[in-house]
Amino acid sequence: MNVIAQTSDGLLWLGCPDGLVRFDGVTFDRPFNTTLPQQNISALWVDPDGSLWVGYTFGGISRLHESQISDLSNGLPDNTVYSIVRDADKTLWATTPKGVYYLSGAKWEQIGPQQGYEGNSYFLSMGLLRDGSLWIDGGPHAWMKKPGKPGFVPIEPKKLVASIYNIDDTNKSGKAHDLIEELSNYFEIHPRFVNGKVIEDSSGSIWSLTSDALDHFRWTTQASNEKSLSSDSLARQGTPYGEAINALFEDREGNIWAGEIGGLLQFRPSKLRTVESYGKILAPTIAPDLHGGVWIGSSKNDGVMSVNGDVETPWPSLHGATSFIASGNDETTWFLSRVAFNTPYKSAGCIHRLKEGKIDCIAYPDDVDPRSAVSMLPDPRGGYIFLSIQGIYRFMGNAWLPGTGLPGLAQAPPLRMFSGENGDIWFTYPDNHIAVITKSGVRNYTAANGLSIGAILALSVQHGDVWAAGTKGVEHLLSQQFVPLRSADPTTFASADGIAQTAQGDLWINASSGLFLIKHSELKFTEKDPTHKVSVELFDQNDGLLGGTIGFRSGPSLVQSGGRIWAARAQGVSWVDPGKMIRNEIAPVAVVVSIASDGILHGISPAPRFPALVHAVRFMYTAASLTRPDKVNFRYRLEGSDPDWITVGDRRATTYTDLRPGTYQFEVEAENEDGVWSVRPSVASFTIAPAFYQTGWFKTLCMASLLLALWGLFAWRSKRLRARVHSRLEAVHDERDRIARELHDTLMQSMQGLILQIQAWSQDGLDRRHLEMERAANSATTALREGRERILALRLTSSDKPNLLSELRKAGEYWALRVTSVFDIRVKGEFRELQTKAFEEIVEIAREAIRNAAIHSKACHILVALEYASHALTLTVSDDGEGLPAYVLAAGILPGHWGLVGMKERAKALEAKLSLHNRPQGGAEMKLVVPCKQAYGKEVPSKWAIVKRTY
């Protein structure tokens, strides 16, 4: 790897002998290797607009901007491009073995003495100072060009080194002076490699590969406010990094990247710090001291130390493996220790007591094995309580007393013992049990109080809150009931062995998977809603936390002191200052890398257009948040498809299927490990072409066809309705004709006869016309009755319930009484309700037929037969009289009468079949067959029935 650069989107670009490599913190790829003019890359430069300038080992420079590559080599020699720099005056410069060049328009121009540069070195390097000045190093000579000035001026190489790396060179002795000398010598011997071998980071530290190792120089401020330079050499597995590293680079988040032969190395600031002890601490025990620091001991090996701030002080006189440390209110600190971890029973071991700088040794109780010692804390009633696996003891006046002297405690020894903020002692047990010793007695908490976390390994009794951590999780004491602390993963807090709450209300939990932080705002939600799942922040080995937890620990694994949180892990002690924790405030820039349609990759610029009926559209996206790329989360949305943002965690690809035609805009945002989201989303637009049946013209054609069909249907329906109205008007007209005929046949004839009688009477005397007057009265009565019958028939409405059988019976019985005939009626089939119109017409036809049989046929017996069938209604009126004259059967009418004419007209209105004939045995017969649709209002089911019902 020859060179490293970073574009404005946060992506790292690695210039290698075999091509240009892009790195987002997770994936290496080579998106432009097939389009670059060369593969062996020697120089990189990034412009503020995101353009990447690429220089090649065999000459030439290209510009990569928005995925487009432009060749800008005109005027350059076919030699290695050592460096590319844009100065404060926005001029682009390049160095090669043939000299120094600047870009003028689209052509490179070489500078020389006329610009103040008189170098002739084959190897050159170039860079910018903090004030924007451009410098050139050519070995024994150096030049500088200030912003706005027309040319270069010489500068002493040592002063240039001091200016580049901000080193105070006024003191001609000391480490800073030695560093200037070392770097100046390197500049003189290796001017070509200066840019990649020595860098200054954002904190002012200097990273150098000038020796055989990777050296890190840091400035520290002494008590006298003087700056001094300290350094350390970084090595991996005994081999110095410097032997394999070719390039150094600091990214915008403060990470240092080193490109070596075997790959890419990252050095990043850790959120947590490690106690750098004088010896390795195994299975440590920790406790806050009385002065804002902590005590650290080891239960595996010899040694105790105190840490206050960054000062670590060993205490060799506190020898022995230490299992527990505690400080009392009387300025006394207790150390439970033994000579070594594997010492036999009753070997030398004691309880060290430190008070006022003096250490004395107190023997364990006679029947206690020092290896079973657990803890020792001040008793709120006075003295101390000592806990061992073998039992509980009180230490009073330099004497040991067995037990606590209090009733109410469980017989089995507790697992651990903790001190409350008011001096109370809290015992924890393996079976959901906590006991508290106060000045007034013992208080117990059990499963009845909600405890359900199994063996209780840690307690935090601080700031008025009680938190318990056990093998099955963490619980909070609220109103004398323990309430579980829940998270999205139910196993998050399992087997936590350390817990502490800060004065700000934040909760810290030490568990096997790491150190968890839960903000006070999240905990407030749980007080309102116990089922609320809290959001947690995890700190693990990648954040500087030492690995592993201990299966059984005597003392707490998490304590607060001096504003810091101290965590005891299997490999040592880590600490963090919550108020000064390093946070990544750099907002990640999400990038849509590519779009694929049905497996075919497309670029994002210009916006791709996909063919019709594309099935799957896949988006690949990333975000170069390089400090903790494993903790980068994403959310996206597809405008036109998604109503809101979709959060997907660390997934870096998504697929949409069966999208409708149209133009879409895919947006993606990223969140870094400290919850900082992208300032603006990355956007990729694309278009899906429509199929022919999805186009506007096709939809317009379909709409026009539909409208045309609807118009045709409307016209056809209108025609049907007009036909129906016309038919009804004809029926009304026919009804008027019928009434006229009936009035003529009945009422008018009768009234005419009456008029003639009256005229005759007026010419004769009344005494001679009694018989005629009686006949006239009878005729008037008959005419009045017939007129009334016709009026009643006309007044029949659809609101009357039509009863055909009843009407037929009334008509038959009426005429049977007047002509002394016998009337009979027969019905076949199941009764069915008739349409009103059909009822009216059938009744009138039947009345006329019965009347004709009674008056004209002179029948002795009249029979009416009614048959209800599914396909038709059949009415038959027959008699045994004289029958119909031949001329009536031939003509179908009786001249001068309108009865038969009316019957035929009514039958035609019903679309019914009416037949008249004489019976062989004598008499006449009228037969009427009415189709089911006209009679009942329903059709016989057929394959066109649905269509007919629709219209």
Side-chain angles (χ1 to χ4, degrees):
M1 191 178 304
N2 297 327
V3 63
I4 305 173
Q6 185 177 33
T7 47
S8 56
D9 54 16
L11 294 169
L12 283 188
W13 296 87
L14 315 176
C16 304
D18 58 348
L20 183 63
V21 179
R22 181 174 62 185
F23 180 56
D24 62 1
V26 176
T27 304
F28 294 92
D29 66 337
R30 302 169 183 263
F32 303 106
N33 267 21
T34 58
T35 53
L36 289 174
Q38 297 183 41
Q39 299 299 310
N40 199 328
I41 296 170
S42 58
L44 294 173
W45 177 262
V46 177
D47 274 343
D49 67 351
S51 297
L52 179 66
W53 295 84
V54 183
Y56 302 103
T57 301
F58 301 107
I61 290 178
S62 298
R63 178 179 181 242
L64 174 61
H65 182 68
E66 294 182 349
S67 301
Q68 302 298 315
I69 297 175
S70 305
D71 183 27
L72 293 168
S73 301
N74 186 20
L76 286 176
D78 295 333
N79 298 100
T80 302
V81 177
Y82 293 142
S83 55
I84 306 172
V85 176
R86 188 180 295 277
D87 65 14
D89 298 326
K90 299 184 179 180
T91 301
L92 193 68
W93 299 83
T95 59
T96 75
K98 294 295 182 67
V100 180
Y101 296 79
Y102 70 94
L103 185 63
S104 176
K107 184 179 180 181
W108 293 92
E109 303 288 348
Q110 188 175 12
I111 66 169
Q114 65 273 21
Q115 288 87 17
Y117 172 71
E118 299 180 350
N120 57 4
S121 174
Y122 187 84
F123 297 108
L124 295 169
S125 61
M126 177 184 290
L128 293 176
L129 298 180
R130 286 174 177 78
D131 64 358
S133 297
L134 181 70
W135 59 264
I136 302 173
D137 176 55
H141 305 285
W143 295 264
M144 183 175 66
K145 177 184 176 297
K146 289 187 174 294
K149 299 297 182 180
F152 289 83
V153 295
I155 183 175
E156 185 182 350
K158 290 184 180 179
K159 287 187 177 181
L160 176 62
V161 169
S163 298
I164 293 174
Y165 302 109
N166 196 28
I167 303 174
D168 185 1
D169 61 348
T170 56
N171 186 0
K172 301 305 179 181
S173 63
K175 221 166 196 180
H177 178 73
D178 294 341
L179 179 60
I180 292 176
E181 292 289 337
E182 179 183 336
L183 295 180
S184 299
N185 291 335
Y186 190 82
F187 270 48
E188 182 175 352
I189 299 172
H190 305 289
R192 172 186 172 183
F193 303 107
V194 169
N195 293 71
K197 292 288 188 177
V198 185
I199 64 170
E200 180 189 19
D201 66 20
S202 53
S203 68
S205 296
I206 298 172
W207 299 74
S208 172
L209 294 170
T210 57
S211 65
D212 291 336
L214 174 56
D215 294 322
H216 183 205
F217 298 90
R218 298 188 300 269
W219 295 100
T220 58
T221 303
Q222 304 298 320
S224 59
N225 290 327
E226 293 183 359
K227 282 188 174 182
S228 64
L229 194 64
S230 62
S231 65
D232 51 14
S233 293
L234 305 178
R236 181 178 56 185
Q237 297 178 349
T239 301
Y241 283 125
E243 293 182 357
I245 295 176
N246 293 324
L248 290 174
F249 180 79
E250 183 191 21
D251 67 23
R252 61 181 186 168
E253 298 170 35
N255 302 295
I256 302 298
W257 297 90
E260 61 167 358
I261 295 175
L264 192 63
L265 302 174
Q266 181 188 29
F267 301 91
R268 63 167 177 257
S270 298
K271 296 184 184 302
L272 281 80
R273 301 280 298 275
T274 298
V275 175
E276 303 290 347
S277 64
Y278 58 91
K280 192 166 184 65
I281 304 173
L282 298 176
T285 180
I286 58 176
D289 67 13
L290 301 172
H291 308 289
V294 292
W295 290 98
I296 302 176
S298 173
S299 59
K300 297 291 185 182
N301 58 327
D302 197 25
V304 173
M305 65 184 302
S306 64
V307 182
N308 200 305
D310 294 328
V311 179
E312 301 175 3
T313 305
W315 288 73
S317 54
L318 294 171
H319 55 81
T322 305
S323 60
F324 183 81
I325 305 172
S327 297
N329 297 327
D330 57 355
E331 299 290 325
T332 301
T333 303
W334 300 82
F335 304 84
L336 304 186
S337 60
R338 55 185 179 275
V339 170
F341 176 72
N342 57 354
T343 53
Y345 174 65
K346 300 302 290 182
S347 62
C350 68
I351 301 174
H352 289 107
R353 179 171 56 184
L354 173 62
K355 187 173 184 179
E356 298 177 355
K358 296 180 180 180
I359 300 174
D360 58 352
C361 185
I362 299 173
Y364 286 99
D366 291 339
D367 55 349
V368 171
D369 183 344
R371 293 174 298 184
S372 71
V374 176
S375 54
M376 187 170 180
L377 293 173
D379 189 339
R381 301 165 299 167
Y384 288 83
I385 292 182
F386 170 77
L387 173 64
S388 74
I389 298 175
Q390 296 170 271
I392 302 176
Y393 298 81
R394 293 183 69 196
F395 185 72
M396 296 285 294
N398 292 325
W400 292 104
L401 301 174
T404 61
L406 290 172
L409 284 177
Q411 294 296 320
L415 278 178
R416 295 184 182 178
M417 181 171 63
F418 300 90
S419 178
E421 58 185 348
N422 57 356
D424 295 343
I425 290 183
W426 295 67
F427 289 119
T428 67
Y429 296 85
D431 54 352
N432 293 313
H433 182 196
I434 296 175
V436 187
I437 296 180
T438 66
K439 293 180 179 179
S440 58
V442 177
R443 182 170 66 252
N444 287 282
Y445 296 95
T446 64
N449 300 97
L451 278 172
S452 59
I453 53 177
I456 299 169
L457 305 177
L459 283 177
S460 171
V461 186
Q462 296 168 303
H463 315 297
D465 281 318
V466 177
W467 292 90
T471 55
K472 296 181 181 179
V474 173
E475 292 184 334
H476 186 201
L477 183 61
L478 294 171
S479 302
Q480 299 303 307
Q481 287 288 319
F482 280 91
V483 178
L485 182 65
R486 305 176 190 274
S487 69
D489 182 358
T491 64
T492 298
F493 308 126
S495 298
D497 66 353
I499 191 165
Q501 189 175 26
T502 66
Q504 292 75 31
D506 297 338
L507 190 67
W508 292 80
I509 299 173
N510 193 12
S512 58
S513 53
L515 190 62
F516 293 96
L517 168 61
I518 306 166
K519 291 291 188 179
H520 177 62
S521 56
E522 282 291 312
L523 298 178
K524 294 297 290 183
F525 284 121
T526 64
E527 294 179 7
K528 299 176 183 177
D529 178 13
T531 63
H532 174 71
K533 295 179 180 179
V534 296
S535 297
V536 301
E537 184 175 3
L538 171 64
F539 302 94
D540 55 20
Q541 284 85 346
N542 290 320
D543 297 300
L545 181 70
L546 292 173
T549 54
I550 302 172
F552 181 81
R553 183 191 305 275
S554 298
S557 70
L558 203 63
V559 299
Q560 299 180 73
S561 186
R564 297 176 176 178
I565 301 294
W566 303 80
R569 308 285 289 180
Q571 295 178 338
V573 177
S574 298
W575 62 268
V576 60
D577 187 339
K580 300 178 181 179
M581 187 186 302
I582 298 174
R583 293 291 188 181
N584 185 0
E585 301 295 339
I586 304 298
V589 178
V591 178
V592 180
V593 178
S594 63
I595 309 175
S597 62
D598 290 338
I600 302 174
L601 282 176
H602 306 268
I604 61 173
S605 180
R609 180 178 176 86
F610 301 147
L613 303 179
V614 64
H615 172 62
V617 179
R618 184 170 178 81
F619 301 92
M620 281 67 74
Y621 51 85
T622 188
S625 185
L626 302 176
T627 301
R628 288 298 303 273
D630 57 311
K631 287 190 173 183
V632 176
N633 294 316
F634 295 90
R635 63 186 180 192
Y636 61 76
R637 67 180 175 185
L638 182 63
E639 286 194 359
S641 176
D642 299 326
D644 203 354
W645 290 94
I646 300 173
T647 302
V648 292
D650 59 356
R651 198 176 74 204
R652 296 179 183 238
T654 188
T655 301
Y656 286 83
T657 57
D658 299 326
L659 292 172
R660 298 172 61 86
T663 298
Y664 294 86
Q665 186 169 282
F666 179 77
E667 299 180 337
V668 61
E669 293 181 344
E671 177 194 34
N672 71 10
E673 71 275 14
D674 288 314
V676 180
W677 281 96
S678 303
V679 176
R680 63 185 63 86
S682 176
V683 179
S685 299
F686 65 97
T687 301
I688 298 178
F692 76 91
Y693 56 82
Q694 296 172 318
T695 58
W697 65 263
F698 183 82
K699 293 178 181 177
T700 302
L701 181 61
C702 291
M703 183 61 68
S705 300
L706 178 61
L707 292 175
L708 185 61
L710 290 175
W711 181 85
L713 180 62
F714 173 76
W716 177 79
R717 179 66 173 169
S718 298
K719 183 177 180 181
R720 288 286 303 271
L721 291 175
R722 287 196 298 271
R724 289 183 183 179
V725 171
H726 182 69
S727 175
R728 290 183 180 179
L729 290 175
E730 285 186 347
V732 172
H733 180 71
D734 292 344
E735 180 68 10
R736 288 177 178 175
D737 289 345
R738 180 189 66 80
I739 294 173
R741 287 191 298 269
E742 290 185 352
L743 289 177
H744 178 273
D745 290 345
T746 58
L747 184 59
M748 297 301 294
Q749 291 181 11
S750 298
M751 294 301 295
Q752 185 65 35
L754 182 59
I755 292 171
L756 293 174
Q757 288 285 348
I758 293 174
Q759 289 176 349
W761 295 339
S762 63
Q763 299 173 5
D764 298 321
L766 292 177
D767 55 343
R768 296 167 47 196
R769 299 297 181 180
H770 289 289
L771 180 59
E772 287 84 352
M773 292 177 68
E774 183 178 355
R775 289 176 180 174
N778 292 336
S779 295
T781 301
T782 300
L784 183 61
R785 183 181 67 249
E786 290 178 350
R788 185 183 297 114
E789 288 176 356
R790 296 299 182 266
I791 292 173
L792 289 175
L794 291 173
R795 295 184 63 183
L796 182 64
T797 65
S798 59
S799 61
D800 299 321
K801 290 230 176 180
N803 191 325
L804 181 59
L805 184 61
S806 175
E807 293 299 323
L808 294 178
R809 192 180 301 280
K810 287 180 182 178
E813 291 177 350
Y814 173 83
W815 288 107
L817 290 175
R818 281 155 179 74
V819 297
T820 64
S821 298
V822 177
F823 173 77
D824 192 10
I825 186 168
R826 298 175 186 176
V827 180
K828 182 180 179 181
E830 184 179 353
F831 170 79
R832 300 180 70 172
E833 189 172 337
L834 300 179
Q835 294 285 90
T836 300
K837 178 182 177 182
F839 172 80
E840 293 174 355
E841 303 292 359
I842 292 170
V843 167
E844 291 302 324
I845 292 172
R847 283 176 177 170
E848 186 65 27
I850 294 171
R851 176 176 174 275
N852 289 338
I855 296 176
H856 301 295
S857 188
K858 300 177 182 180
C860 296
H861 186 271
I862 301 173
L863 175 64
V864 175
L866 187 64
E867 180 181 357
Y868 291 96
S870 61
H871 65 283
L873 173 72
T874 303
L875 172 68
T876 305
V877 179
S878 60
D879 61 69
D880 58 356
E882 298 176 352
L884 294 170
Y887 68 89
V888 174
L889 288 175
I893 60 172
L894 179 62
H897 294 267
W898 300 98
L900 291 179
V901 175
M903 291 171 64
K904 288 183 177 182
E905 290 176 349
R906 293 180 187 277
K908 182 178 179 181
L910 289 176
E911 300 180 16
K913 183 178 180 182
L914 179 70
S915 61
L916 297 169
H917 62 273
N918 288 328
R919 301 170 62 197
Q921 62 270 35
E925 181 180 273
M926 184 280 302
K927 187 174 184 179
L928 177 70
V929 180
V930 184
C932 65
K933 178 181 178 182
Q934 285 70 25
Y936 313 131
K938 297 180 181 179
E939 299 181 83
V940 177
S942 69
K943 62 181 181 180
W944 300 107
I946 295 177
V947 176
K948 291 181 178 179
R949 280 198 297 268
T950 303
Y951 301 110

